[in-house]
Amino acid sequence: MLVRLALILCLIVMAGGPMPAVADGLSAPQIAQNGPPTNKKALAGYYLKQGEKARKKGRHSEAYKHYQKAAKHLKKSKLPPLKRALVLTRLASSEQLQGHYRKAIKILEKAVGIAPMPISYKALVKLHTRLGNLDDAESARRRGQSLVTEKVTNVHVPEHKKQMMRRDGYEMDIIYFSDKGQWTKAEEQARKLVELTGRMSGEMSKASHLKSRLNLLQILNKQQRFVEAEVLGRELLQEAETTFGKSEQTGSIAVQLAVVLTGQGRLQEAEGLMRRALEIYGASGMRETTRWFVGARRALALLLAARGDWAGAVAEFDRVMALYADKGKKGIGFATGRPALPLALLEVGRGEEALRLLEAGYEKEKNNSGLKHPRTAQMGGALGTVRARQGDLEGARAVFADSLAVLMSSSRGDAQADSSETTRRIWRVRMVEAYMELLADLLEAGKTDKQDTAKEIFKLADWIRGQSVQQAVAASGARTAVNDPQLADLIRQEQDARLQTASLNALLADLLSLPKDQQDDDGQESLKKEIDHLRETRADLMEEIEDDYPDYAALINPKAPTLEQARALLKPGEALISTYVGRRRTFVWAQPSDGEARFTAIAAGRDDMGDLVALVRSALEPHAATLGDIPPFDVQAAHDLYSLLLAPVAEGWQSAQSLLVIAHGPLGWLPFSVLPTGADPLPAEEGLLFANHRQVPWLARKHAVTVIPSASALATLRALPEPKKGRRPFAGFGDPLFNAQQAAAGPIASTKTAGLATRGLPLNLRSAPIRRDSGAARNLGLLPRLPDTADEVRGIALTLDATPDRDLFLGKQATEKTVRGADLSNYRVVAFATHGLVPGDLDGLAQPALALTPGSLNGGDQSPDNDGLLTMEEILTLKLDADWVVLSACNTAAGGGAGAEAVSGLGQAFFYAGTRALLVSNWPVETTSARLLTTDLFHRQARNPTLDRAEALRQARMALIDGPGRKNASGKAIHSYAHPLFWAPFTLIGDGGGGS
């Protein structure tokens, strides 16, 4: 299972890992070369040594046979008690590998009766928890810890043996607390173990220290502390490759690092690491049929399925199934216990096979866990998806009716053992989306009412939009994202209960997957009672959070409003345009402030929409060095998009002056303002460069446009209190420095270009950060500086009559510490003129962030809280009362579309912190026009404080389009700003109403 693979080294005893010399005395075994000895009293020792030899080479089936023979000859053996107990412990480990858990427990109890050893108790703890016998596991742990205490306090035991005893004691606790999901206690023991192994010496010290840190890595990952986990994982991988080469240890670290990246949503990188782990395992001589090799290949298959590489996923799944078949196993649990394989089979045309697997898996989960369990709901969602695609619409509707509510309510609920929160969210979203498409199919078939369908799909779409933000906020780091100690404690308790529930659910799933003769009914009931207790505890905690801290509850678990509730939020003259782009269909709603919504379902999915948006956007983010290289805007393609999206629902929005747009998926990469409402082609260019674009009937001509992340976000914004009086006009942060060379360069003047020919005039676009897929910006120091942003924030400050010496923070002063030290609640407008980053842009970056000057470059605080990354969770801690927050160097095309989602996440964080609207750039902007647009926008509001934000932006855009354009030093116009590259880069996100 994906997130449990890191236990390979932690539990190496159970799988047959190297034993310390104190236990077996075999540090230099003398293996007989000429067959078994004739002396029967020596046979047990001989077969023990043969078993050790086979085990160390990974030949566990062969080792099992040798241990069986050694145990058979124990009675007549002359082996001392420790060796006799070792034979039984090794045999128990082999029986466990064969799936004989009850038998293994009996053998271990016999072993500790002969000669108690910590390794035997470790094995007992693991086996008892595996069967759900938590009381028995605790009893074994207490006995084992008593033995460790006895040995380490015995003055006659050498110090190096005491160290190994302490190591066994820590590992015992780590196993026990990890399996119970008590991660804080597990981490405490893991850190003690790391400290201990770091002091150990001898042949196995490096391996022990590596293994102990791998334990810690896995525990950090389970707590969703991804940044710490990634740093540690990369350190371990480099060390293992240097010390052990292509070994089992190195492969296991690569697997766990892949799990960390998966948790961050960096699936492509995780895939590369998982493939690397498989290559390492193969080079180490490990057989493909070992559970580690099979586990890594299965993890790769799950990753490929999560990424939508269906053919690749099926190929890996088929290979795994063949490996299981080679081992004589029937009815593979992984095939019927999770949705990835059946859904991948569906996508490659093997729908009947997918249906058979899901029918069996769904029935199994219903019988084992009940109809309302999250795992049952997940299998039901997958079954509904397959039935719908196979044409069984009514059968699909029936199973979705049983599964959908549980599937959606468990979005912050019980985890599964083999998937990260990221992959669980992917599957939940795909299943809810499949139900949306089923409803559209039922509508086409005349089996549902159009208005009812429109309303139901609207709620589902808004729920999906909230998932990415919810995941980021609900991560464990979010417990530090609140300043109220009582709320922070409630969050900690709820998250701890959730993680513990996940771990116990994993134990229960493991237990239920065992053959009936290995299951323990008492253990099942005990686990189910504990899980129910934890769920009740979580429900009580969430209720307390919702009652006492409704704003935070709405952030982490937003309630999707109905269309009627969304309409009630609209002001006269407003209309809501909501879009959702699914894999196969795009849904569009237009809800006026009065009257019914208009709705359409378009037979074009994410790929089609992505291609069309990319075509329209190509002239807005060109690879152009000069103005003459900028292509004309593709008016026809943009009008095609308008005709596809907005024309069918025009009755719902045309009479409104202000449009609130929920732009989903690839539609978030393109400002709707640039869509032409007419089909006339772009006139030929005559005279001033780009002036022909003035004649295009842009949507922005008649309609102010505001983007909102979701309908629930609009509800949050409309509930904000009135701003306080007497706020200062402006605070600006810009031109941050990212490395020592930039700091040494000092202030950089803007580029002067007035003397060059018009078409050869350089196009001064702000540099975007180097993306991971095109050279990989891996740390903050590789980001390019944005010196022109200093002029931008100065221009806004001048327009708003701010005090530069007090309210501008440029260069070395643009740090996180400065941001948090300023009383930002006392400003009407706050600007961050810097790079907006998406997860994966930099190593360890797991959430959206703004890049600032790290404390190390100004001689100040160099703590993690001043590292130059103002992350989403840190933004949540800010206290704002702002009408505007300006983010003027974001790029919504970043990361294959992740930029739009990141901006949405940053928006939600800033809204929670107290701002009413964001002004965000959609692509690397042209310097001069960006400065003109932003300063004109705020100048208009300064002159007319009652002017709506959306309308002020619309007027500033029209002024650029219809204005004289750019002039040279003598005052002669050299080109127009009518091309949307110049006037459309900024999007207003949030509440478009209200003055400044």
Side-chain angles (χ1 to χ4, degrees), residues 692-715:
N692 57 336
H693 290 73
R694 291 172 179 164
Q695 300 177 44
V696 177
W698 307 110
L699 184 69
R701 281 284 180 195
K702 296 182 179 179
H703 301 277
V705 177
T706 304
V707 171
I708 55 176
S710 63
S712 55
L714 179 62

Side-chain angles (χ1 to χ4, degrees), residues 301-302 305-306 310 313 317 338-345 427:
L302 292 169
W310 307 115
F317 276 128
R338 54 188 56 79
L341 172 58
L343 293 180
L345 290 171
W427 292 117

Side-chain angles (χ1 to χ4, degrees), residues 525-602:
E525 289 306 311
S526 175
L527 283 175
K528 288 177 180 178
K529 287 180 181 178
E530 182 64 20
I531 289 168
D532 288 342
H533 171 70
L534 286 167
R535 283 182 180 150
E536 291 174 3
T537 300
R538 287 188 56 226
D540 291 342
L541 289 166
M542 282 303 301
E543 184 177 350
E544 187 173 354
I545 291 172
E546 289 172 358
D547 289 344
D548 297 344
Y549 303 94
D551 291 343
Y552 185 81
L555 184 70
I556 64 172
N557 194 22
K559 308 298 184 203
T562 64
L563 264 173
E564 289 85 354
Q565 289 169 331
R567 180 179 61 193
L569 296 169
L570 299 176
K571 300 174 182 177
E574 291 182 336
L576 173 67
I577 297 175
S578 178
T579 67
Y580 184 86
V581 184
R583 292 186 60 225
R584 291 178 177 80
R585 291 178 184 269
T586 295
F587 305 95
V588 185
W589 299 260
Q591 175 64 67
S593 58
D594 55 6
E596 286 194 335
R598 301 303 191 270
F599 169 71
T600 187
I602 303 164

Side-chain angles (χ1 to χ4, degrees), residues 328 416 563 575 616 680 729 783 804:
Q416 283 188 223
L563 264 173
V616 175
D680 293 340
L783 294 179

Side-chain angles (χ1 to χ4, degrees), residues 739-928:
N739 56 52
Q741 290 75 19
Q742 294 172 4
I748 299 177
S750 299
T751 306
K752 303 297 182 182
T753 57
L756 301 179
T758 300
R759 289 189 176 273
L761 202 65
L763 179 64
N764 293 322
L765 294 177
R766 289 183 187 154
S767 301
I770 303 170
R771 298 294 167 193
R772 185 173 292 277
D773 57 2
S774 61
R778 305 193 69 88
N779 60 65
L780 192 70
L782 295 179
L783 294 179
R785 186 177 176 181
L786 301 172
D788 56 281
T789 60
D791 290 337
E792 178 182 321
V793 294
R794 288 191 188 101
I796 299 175
L798 181 63
T799 300
L800 295 177
D801 293 327
T803 305
D805 291 344
R806 181 188 63 194
D807 300 326
L808 297 190
F809 308 96
L810 306 176
K812 290 185 178 182
Q813 299 306 312
T815 66
E816 286 181 82
K817 186 175 182 179
T818 305
V819 171
R820 280 193 292 270
D823 181 9
L824 296 182
S825 67
N826 198 33
Y827 291 95
R828 289 189 289 115
V829 180
V830 180
F832 295 92
T834 183
H835 295 295
L837 304 174
V838 306
D841 274 350
L842 309 178
D843 280 345
L845 183 61
Q847 55 186 289
L850 300 175
L852 296 171
T853 301
S856 59
L857 293 182
N858 69 354
D861 177 15
Q862 300 183 32
S863 69
D865 292 337
N866 199 30
D867 61 2
L869 291 173
L870 186 65
T871 61
M872 179 176 167
E873 69 181 46
E874 291 171 327
I875 291 168
L876 289 167
T877 68
L878 301 179
K879 296 298 181 184
L880 301 172
D881 187 21
D883 299 315
W884 293 92
V885 166
V886 181
L887 307 178
S888 64
C890 291
N891 180 7
T892 57
E901 187 173 276
V903 167
S904 175
L906 289 174
Q908 294 278 31
F910 274 113
F911 298 152
Y912 178 77
T915 190
R916 293 159 183 81
L918 274 75
L919 188 67
V920 180
S921 58
N922 295 292
W923 51 79
V925 299
E926 192 276 327
T927 297
T928 306

